[in-house]
Structures are given as structure tokens and as C-alpha cells.
Amino acid sequence: MDPSPTDPESPPSSPQRRGLLVVLSSPSGAGKTTISRLLMAADPAITMSVSATTRPMRPGEVDGHDYQFVDDARFQNMVEASEFAEYATVFNHRYGTPAAPVRAAVEAGRDILFDIDWQGARQLEASMDKDLITIFLLPPSIAELERRLRARGTDNEAVIASRMQRAADEIDHWAEYNYVLINEERDICLAQVRTIIAGERLKRSRQSGLNDFVRTLVSPA
Ligand code: 5GP
């Protein structure tokens, strides 16, 4: 997307920058889905990466929008054809990020948000480090995490128990992330995420159009 001169997050006359890859991880119930949704509503320059998964579709989910729902054989084919930027097994199902849309977005200066776990963040860090920022959301307490999981009403007791157990494993990886936020209040957390992204967009290394612009300043035609 072309930066507008009135966009406070785009420096004037800097036409190009590389797209930013923003990983948002958290234990389920820490508010990642809500924050992602609000972030995209507030910032149309960001789109969500659509992962492939072998898990069954939940009520209300749309194939191709929430996930690309595939069977085990198809997922394995995608692995063998190196179609994933990263993939992992989470809650006994396989999840993976298709690589092609990610590469295209970075080159076109479009930002992408990833709702993936620590295993995926680690793999993207290894392959796409310079375009990547990683943000981890912590719940304000374990009691609040459990309350939020139950309030969703989508999972049965066994699933909630396994998600609570997995939450501890996920939280263990907080220190591998660039930014760590405690999601106590939704709007404050959203503002913090937007502040991080605004700053990261302005990094010199991301502003690929800046060289030419600065040249016009120091040696005007
Ligand atoms: P859910 O099944 O609730 O949508 O997601 C379960 C977990 O899988 C979440 O922690 C989510 O971040 C993670 N996840 C979703 N898509 C991917 C993916 O493509 N790669 C990885 N590594 N994790 C994913």
C-alpha cells in the first residue's frame, strides 16, 4: 500500500518500505484473537496470514478465511513440497503458514499478522529474522486465563483442561519474544501493539526508499 503523506506512520516522500511480519503469540484465552481482530480493523495496512490446519472446523469458521482446512495427506504433501514458511503440531493437530503469500507481502511492502505459537515464531525467526517482530501476550493471571477460556463456551471440559496445561508450556517461551505485553485491559493492550508496529515501521532498515530520498536532500537536482 502506498504511504499517504498524511499518514503519521509513513515518513514523507519515502515511497517504499519492506512489509513487516508481526507474530502475535499467547496461550489461548490471553486475548490474541480479539487483539488481532481489533488491530486489523484499526489498521487496514495489515492483513492476517491464513494458516493451513488439519484440525476440524469450529462453528462459525470459514474455510479459506480463518484457516485453510486440509486433511493429513494434503498437509503432508504441502510439507514435502516445501510450501510452508513454518509448521508445527499444536493440540494434536498440524498447523502451517503458507510461504508464498508471506514472501509476496514483504516484497510489496504489505504487513502481515501471524497468530502462531512459539514453535512457529522460532522457525520464522530462523528464516525471516530481518522482517520479523514477535510479540507475546501474557494474561493478567492464570485464574483470569481460565475464566476467559470458559467464557468462550466453544470448548468442552477436556479441551479446557488440556489448553490450561498447554498454557503453561506456551508461557514458558515468553522470553524468546521481542516484546511482551500483559493483556489486562484490551484497549491499552491494542494501543501498545499499535505503538510497537508504528515504531518498527520507521526503522531505517525497513525504509527501503529512504536512500533515494536522502540523496535528493543532500544533492538536489
Ligand atoms: P486454534 O486451533 O485455537 O485456532 O489454534 C491453536 C494454536 O495453534 C494457537 O496457539 C495458534 O496460535 C496456533 N497456530 C495457528 N496457526 C498456526 C500456524 O500456522 N503455525 C503454528 N506454529 N501455530 C499456529
Side-chain angles (χ1 to χ4, degrees):
M1 178 174 287
D2 284 344
S4 127
T6 55
D7 179 351
E9 289 167 14
S10 302
S13 307
S14 171
Q16 293 143 16
R17 68 174 174 84
R18 290 174 69 78
L20 193 60
L21 307 177
V22 183
V23 169
L24 197 56
S25 298
S26 76
S28 44
K32 182 178 50 177
T33 309
T34 306
I35 296 292
S36 303
R37 195 171 38 75
L38 293 171
L39 177 62
M40 282 188 301
D43 188 340
I46 303 177
T47 55
M48 190 99 196
S49 167
V50 179
S51 297
T53 183
T54 60
R55 88 147 158 73
M57 208 186 294
R58 295 194 188 120
E61 287 184 325
V62 177
D63 190 20
H65 177 75
D66 297 290
Y67 282 103
Q68 188 185 338
F69 293 95
V70 298
D71 61 18
D72 286 314
R74 172 81 184 111
F75 195 97
Q76 187 56 29
N77 283 342
M78 292 172 85
V79 169
E80 283 163 20
S82 304
E83 287 180 31
F84 290 125
E86 63 75 34
Y87 62 93
T89 299
V90 186
F91 304 128
N92 303 320
H93 297 296
R94 303 185 82 184
Y95 295 80
T97 301
V102 177
R103 277 193 228 104
V106 170
E107 296 307 327
R110 284 184 282 110
D111 301 330
I112 300 207
L113 183 67
F114 300 86
D115 171 347
I116 61 176
D117 79 337
W118 63 270
Q119 305 174 82
R122 203 181 257 186
Q123 291 170 54
L124 290 187
E125 203 128 52
S127 59
M128 298 175 166
D129 184 33
K130 80 181 157 75
D131 299 309
L132 190 74
I133 62 165
T134 57
I135 305 174
F136 195 87
L137 300 189
L138 288 169
S141 68
I142 281 296
E144 176 60 15
L145 184 75
E146 185 163 356
R147 194 195 64 73
R148 289 181 192 171
L149 272 182
R150 289 182 188 284
R152 290 205 305 204
T154 53
D155 299 321
N156 63 34
E157 280 302 312
V159 172
I160 288 174
S162 84
R163 283 182 184 250
M164 286 303 294
Q165 194 177 347
R166 184 164 157 95
D169 299 340
E170 187 79 25
I171 289 171
D172 257 358
H173 293 276
W174 69 279
E176 296 171 23
Y177 286 72
N178 303 137
Y179 298 93
V180 180
L181 306 176
I182 300 172
N183 184 13
E184 181 127 37
E185 211 276 292
R186 188 188 79 172
D187 292 341
I188 293 174
C189 184
L190 174 65
Q192 289 171 333
V193 170
R194 296 197 68 196
T195 301
I196 292 166
I197 291 173
E200 290 282 346
R201 281 174 175 159
L202 290 170
K203 272 199 169 161
R204 177 173 48 78
S205 56
R206 298 227 158 80
Q207 297 191 56
S208 44
L210 215 46
N211 273 348
D212 292 341
F213 172 66
V214 173
R215 213 168 293 129
T216 68
L217 296 180
V218 294
S219 48

